[in-house]
Amino acid sequence: MPRIACLFTPLFPLAARLRSEPELRGEAVAIFQGNSNAARVVAAARRARQVGIRTGMSLPQARALLPNLTVRARDMSCEKATQETLLEIAESFSPRVEDAGEGVAYLELDGLDRHFPGDSPEQDLGHALTVTTDKAGLTTWVGIASSKLAARVAAELPASPNLVPAGEEANFLAPLPLRSLAAEVEILETLERWGIRSVGDFARLPKNEVASRLGETGRELHEKARGLDSRPLVPYQPPPHFAEGMELEWPLVNLEPFLFVAGAALKRLCQRLESRGLACARLATSLRLEPDGHHQRTIQLPAPTREAKTLLTLIRLDLEAESPAAPVTGFTIVAHPDRPREAQLSLFGPPALSPDKLATTLARLFALLGPERVGSPHTVNGHRPERSALVEYAPPPPPDVRPERQAGRGLLAIRTLRPPVPLEVISHLASPREILSIISEGSAKRPHIQGRVKVASGPWAMEEEWWSEKPVERDYWDIELVNGGIFRIFYQRSTGEWYADGIYD
Amino acid sequence: MASSQALTTAPQRAFETPETTTSRPPATIGTFRSRLPHHLRSHLNSGREWMQQRAAAPLPSPFPTATALDQLLVGGLPQGQLIELIGRRSSGRFSTILSSLATATSAGEAAAFIDLGDAFDPQLAVAAGVDLERLLWARPGHLKQTLISAEVLLAGGFPLVVIDLGNPPVPGGRGVEASWLRLAKAAQSHQAALLVSSPYRVSGTAAAGVVKADHGRALWSGSTPGPRLLVGLSSHLTLQKMRRQQGNRTEALRLQPPAALIYGTTTPSIGNRSRS
């Protein structure tokens, strides 16, 4: 029989809420479900329980016992994210995990004892599970046994972790009432009619007789009562993305308060990504609006990152650019994961950029400047000097050995003017003699070019796309002005206009 | 009580007594130091000792640029410092920064170029020897974005960050000196070389070094009225200021146009330029 550990989160609705709002820890908090007077308490914190607030009480009853009780509605998006976190933690220990819902997860422990070489590997494993869930903001109890039922019952006992020795499951379960088997009501009623009161009583019945009277369901139930599990764990299929969300206590109309709660959710999201060795490649934000409707945005990141601050900046800039049309009552942030970029460091070559840092840097620059203004320059076929292209910045790994630096080529560079500056040119014998940049709307921000020409060299014909309807036909001149400056200017044959498109610098 | 008196009078005595002119620490500091626990003594220094240690500290290894800048800056751009290169149009300023980028990227280093004037020509950069795959090209719209981008890139671990503010008018003006100081501090903390190319001084006291590119002189072949051809540009780089170095040194800068500009050659970098 494989050994099975059960992770059990007591008061799961409350635990999920406290994970999202850790500042409520230690407060008298109650989680309720339902509306107005029909609202019922589903979980209460210790300080609330101390004054008599119990599960099932109506909200007015609870408030009557403790007027300053902090109440929160049950938040299914919080609980879903918390359950996923619990399963991710279980998966980080064992590849065989079953999702039992509502703060319960099972994991198979076969082969894990070699990772805990102490005197009591299972005890150490149980402690490790408790510590890991604590770090994720969850209080979890652990039970270890050879069957799911025994592990679950052990997990619900105080003083976690609780171990049931192999083969002792039947004895461990024997004193429990029949309802612990979570069987169908009809079977339970039948067993009560037979005078069976406890799991032990049921386990002592002959299995063939039980099977012949209660059928396949009864046989399985009888095996459970004897501490046996005939069915293996149902494998947990993790979702392809990571989600965190929250129902807000009241609708938010300002960006800053929203960013405050979204920042905490992003932090949790990034922790989950980090625990799986993943990073966020695409971020989808869904805001629930009052009274209904959604505002959905998706941000494609230039490179996978798991820095919460950068992701929050991107959300802020995105929401500033396109704000929701109504107050926000809740949100869900979904991170689509991808493998972060990896790099092999070199001992003798130039240092490589850290992939994590590079991803963060690119994301910040994208947020600041826009994706069309950041990247790696790329050459473009053609003849027009102003042509250029940007591609994704993904530098190749540096060479293994640092090459010797080459001497500069002493190249005279040209500062390209984008777009070209329109000019008024006075010519003599088809050669420019004096130039002046044309003043127009917006030209105050462009370089002002004016002066008599000292030397002019040209014209140099340039033709491109002669086959198209609008071919580019230019006559280029290199000119030096008397008052300084060497420019590249051209005459556009199709329009008869002059432009400066470069400065030798 | 005696020790507290020594403490309160120490700064005054340190400046009044003749010991301050010698290399030995003042007696008051020595007295106070002797009363400290052993493990704390090495942490207590007088201001003068701190200055001496700072002066004796080795200079950070320079970042070679294979240009005339290397001669002026004793080996290249100092890592962890802001160097400002100023010059009017056609002074060779843009060629110098392009050469710096070419040297860095061709040696396998990553480099970032913040191009406020949107003046970068990838085709020309390839001709200059720039490895475009290793170059990050950012094109901000104004000076504030430029400064923030530079800070982000320095924090991102780029060993060389080059800012070109283009030609006047610079969008955003000179900026606030505190921003430049912050940028210089970022370069220092990340030990990156930071080169700022500007038509006029912008970074104030933040710049560890200032190099001025003099007005360039065009070199033409042929003579009027015959055909003329631009064959180069001659200029000078002058070191105006450099911390812990002697200023006012000059190096000649001689630049040649790319092969595509020479009459009769044809490459796609500038276009098929044939004499009409």
Side-chain angles (χ1 to χ4, degrees):
Chain A
M1 290 287 287
R3 297 289 282 170
I4 290 170
C6 174
L7 283 175
F8 171 69
T9 311
L11 302 171
F12 182 63
L14 176 69
R17 197 75 198 199
L18 292 181
R19 178 174 166 270
S20 300
E21 294 183 73
E23 64 276 9
L24 292 180
R25 286 180 195 281
E27 300 287 321
V29 190
I31 307 296
F32 71 93
Q33 191 171 20
N35 293 320
S36 60
N37 287 343
R40 300 281 164 186
V41 173
V42 291
R46 185 192 301 268
R47 282 186 59 187
R49 293 198 305 273
Q50 280 169 351
V51 296
I53 295 173
R54 295 283 177 268
T55 302
M57 271 185 179
S58 70
L59 197 54
Q61 283 174 326
R63 281 205 187 280
L65 287 171
L66 190 64
N68 59 353
L69 177 73
T70 306
V71 290
R72 291 285 187 274
R74 190 169 184 181
D75 188 341
M76 299 316 287
S77 41
C78 270
E79 290 181 21
K80 191 178 172 202
T82 306
Q83 181 68 15
E84 283 176 7
T85 306
L86 189 70
L87 292 163
E88 284 158 17
I89 290 170
E91 272 206 316
S92 69
F93 280 82
S94 169
R96 291 175 294 275
V97 172
E98 180 179 323
D99 178 8
E102 298 247 338
V104 180
Y106 295 106
L107 57 155
E108 206 176 295
L109 305 183
D110 275 6
L112 293 187
D113 49 350
R114 66 173 183 271
H115 299 297
F116 299 90
D119 294 335
S120 176
E122 288 186 348
Q123 192 78 20
D124 295 344
L125 172 66
H127 279 300
L129 281 166
T130 311
V131 169
T132 312
T133 49
D134 272 351
K135 278 183 188 168
L138 279 172
T139 304
T140 306
W141 296 348
V142 180
I144 298 176
S146 297
S147 76
K148 283 193 279 186
L149 179 64
R152 168 72 189 260
V153 171
E156 290 178 12
L157 298 174
S160 170
N162 285 296
L163 273 62
V164 180
E168 293 294 318
E169 285 77 15
N171 294 338
F172 177 74
L173 294 172
L176 296 176
L178 267 182
R179 68 171 184 280
S180 307
L181 293 173
E184 290 171 17
V185 179
E186 287 176 15
I187 292 181
L188 286 180
E189 284 175 353
T190 307
L191 291 173
E192 280 176 10
R193 278 202 303 275
W194 292 354
I196 307 291
R197 295 287 177 267
S198 68
V199 175
D201 294 344
F202 183 44
R204 277 191 289 277
L205 295 176
K207 64 179 180 181
N208 291 337
E209 298 298 326
V210 171
S212 66
R213 284 166 174 76
L214 298 177
E216 182 62 19
T217 316
R219 190 191 62 76
E220 282 182 10
L221 206 60
H222 190 251
E223 281 196 345
K224 272 173 80 176
R226 288 187 293 137
L228 303 171
D229 263 336
S230 55
R231 290 185 182 177
L233 296 187
V234 180
Y236 166 64
Q237 186 69 33
H241 51 251
F242 294 75
E244 285 284 345
M246 199 173 173
E247 295 294 333
L248 300 170
E249 210 178 340
W250 57 79
L252 294 178
V253 289
N254 291 327
L255 187 59
E256 284 307 319
F258 169 72
L259 290 176
F260 183 76
V261 286
L266 280 172
K267 206 173 168 185
R268 293 194 298 274
L269 207 55
C270 290
Q271 276 175 353
R272 288 172 58 188
L273 287 167
E274 194 171 2
S275 70
R276 303 291 293 264
L278 296 169
C280 175
R282 187 155 53 94
L283 195 67
T285 313
S286 174
L287 308 181
R288 285 179 288 284
L289 306 181
E290 191 183 50
D292 55 2
H294 286 79
H295 179 84
Q296 289 177 327
R297 305 287 300 161
T298 302
I299 303 166
Q300 187 71 41
L301 276 79
T305 183
R306 53 183 174 224
E307 191 171 301
K309 196 176 162 189
T310 305
L311 297 176
L312 187 66
T313 306
L314 290 172
I315 288 181
R316 179 170 60 81
L317 292 168
D318 188 62
L319 289 179
E320 278 175 354
E322 191 156 337
S323 304
V328 177
T329 57
F331 68 92
T332 305
I333 301 173
V334 179
H336 295 266
D338 198 357
R339 292 265 163 218
R341 289 181 179 175
E342 291 170 356
Q344 177 75 47
L345 297 180
S346 166
L347 285 174
F348 309 108
L353 293 172
S354 153
D356 267 1
K357 271 189 176 178
L358 180 60
T360 306
T361 304
L362 288 175
R364 286 186 181 173
L365 288 177
F366 268 43
L368 179 70
L369 307 176
E372 72 287 354
R373 301 188 79 83
V374 182
S376 185
H378 198 258
T379 53
V380 179
N381 284 334
H383 301 305
R384 275 175 288 191
E386 67 270 20
R387 69 195 187 280
S388 71
L390 268 180
V391 294
E392 182 193 355
Y393 183 67
D400 293 336
V401 179
R402 188 185 291 271
E404 284 194 15
R405 292 179 192 276
Q406 297 168 355
R409 297 183 188 176
L411 190 84
L412 173 57
I414 302 169
R415 197 183 276 281
T416 308
L417 296 172
R418 291 189 184 95
V421 177
L423 296 174
E424 193 176 323
V425 175
I426 298 171
S427 304
H428 177 65
L429 297 174
S431 174
R433 281 288 170 264
E434 195 167 341
I435 64 169
L436 172 67
S437 52
I438 296 171
I439 297 171
S440 62
E441 193 179 343
S443 64
K445 294 178 180 175
R446 306 303 313 279
H448 182 63
I449 304 168
Q450 182 183 12
R452 279 187 38 240
V453 176
K454 186 177 168 187
V455 181
S457 171
W460 313 87
M462 192 276 282
E463 291 182 6
E464 192 176 274
E465 296 178 12
W466 51 266
W467 59 88
S468 67
E469 287 185 2
K470 288 185 179 177
V472 179
E473 296 173 333
R474 298 173 179 176
D475 289 331
Y476 270 94
W477 292 79
D478 293 330
I479 59 164
E480 183 183 7
L481 297 184
V482 172
N483 55 6
I486 310 161
F487 298 89
R488 185 176 64 195
I489 65 171
F490 68 85
Y491 173 75
Q492 190 150 294
R493 285 185 223 155
S494 58
T495 58
E497 291 167 341
W498 286 85
Y499 294 92
D501 77 348
I503 304 172
Y504 288 91
D505 189 3
Chain B
M1 194 65 189
S3 64
S4 67
Q5 276 178 355
L7 257 179
T8 50
T9 55
Q12 196 181 0
R13 282 194 201 163
F15 287 101
E16 285 173 356
T17 54
E19 284 88 339
T20 54
T21 55
T22 67
S23 60
R24 281 183 299 144
T28 47
I29 289 284
T31 310
F32 182 57
R33 196 180 283 160
S34 64
R35 290 173 186 171
L36 282 173
H38 185 72
H39 65 282
L40 290 178
R41 284 177 197 169
S42 60
H43 296 285
L44 182 72
N45 290 320
S46 67
R48 186 166 46 79
E49 284 175 323
W50 183 77
M51 290 294 286
Q52 284 172 349
Q53 282 175 5
R54 191 174 171 221
L59 286 166
S61 57
F63 197 97
T65 62
T67 64
L69 271 181
D70 287 4
Q71 278 79 48
L72 289 176
L73 301 174
V74 194
L77 294 170
Q79 291 184 27
Q81 292 186 349
L82 187 157
I83 299 296
E84 191 171 352
L85 174 65
I86 56 171
R88 295 175 60 192
R89 56 175 60 153
S90 300
S91 59
R93 182 162 57 93
F94 196 64
S95 304
T96 305
I97 58 174
L98 208 59
S99 184
S100 307
L101 293 171
T103 311
T105 54
S106 62
E109 305 257 16
F113 180 46
I114 305 173
D115 185 11
L116 180 59
D118 197 6
F120 186 78
D121 179 355
Q123 290 71 227
L124 196 71
V126 170
V130 177
D131 182 352
L132 295 183
E133 282 191 313
R134 298 190 191 280
L135 181 70
L136 179 73
W137 184 25
R139 297 183 293 168
H142 51 80
L143 188 68
K144 190 179 173 187
Q145 282 185 342
T146 306
L147 294 169
I148 298 171
S149 303
E151 204 172 331
V152 169
L153 288 163
L154 288 168
F158 280 82
L160 173 66
V161 177
V162 177
I163 299 173
D164 180 47
L165 300 185
N167 281 318
V170 176
R174 291 169 195 269
V176 187
E177 188 168 359
S179 306
W180 292 105
L181 286 167
R182 189 182 155 114
L183 206 56
K185 184 76 181 163
Q188 187 188 11
S189 59
H190 295 99
Q191 282 300 296
L194 177 60
L195 178 63
V196 178
S197 154
S198 165
Y200 39 72
R201 284 297 311 276
V202 289
S203 63
T205 56
V210 178
V211 177
K212 184 181 180 187
D214 294 335
H215 179 60
R217 188 168 61 86
L219 305 173
W220 300 94
S221 70
S223 58
T224 313
R228 309 293 298 271
L229 186 67
L230 181 67
V231 292
L233 182 138
S234 169
S235 179
H236 287 88
L237 296 182
T238 307
L239 182 68
Q240 287 193 332
K241 165 193 165 184
M242 189 67 201
R243 283 180 198 155
R244 296 156 67 179
Q245 279 188 39
Q246 193 180 356
N248 279 329
R249 285 185 290 119
T250 300
E251 285 288 336
L253 182 69
R254 209 172 175 83
L255 302 164
Q256 289 185 328
L261 295 184
I262 305 296
Y263 174 73
T265 61
T266 56
T267 72
S269 66
I270 284 295
N272 292 328
R273 306 183 89 189
S274 58
R275 202 64 194 264
S276 62

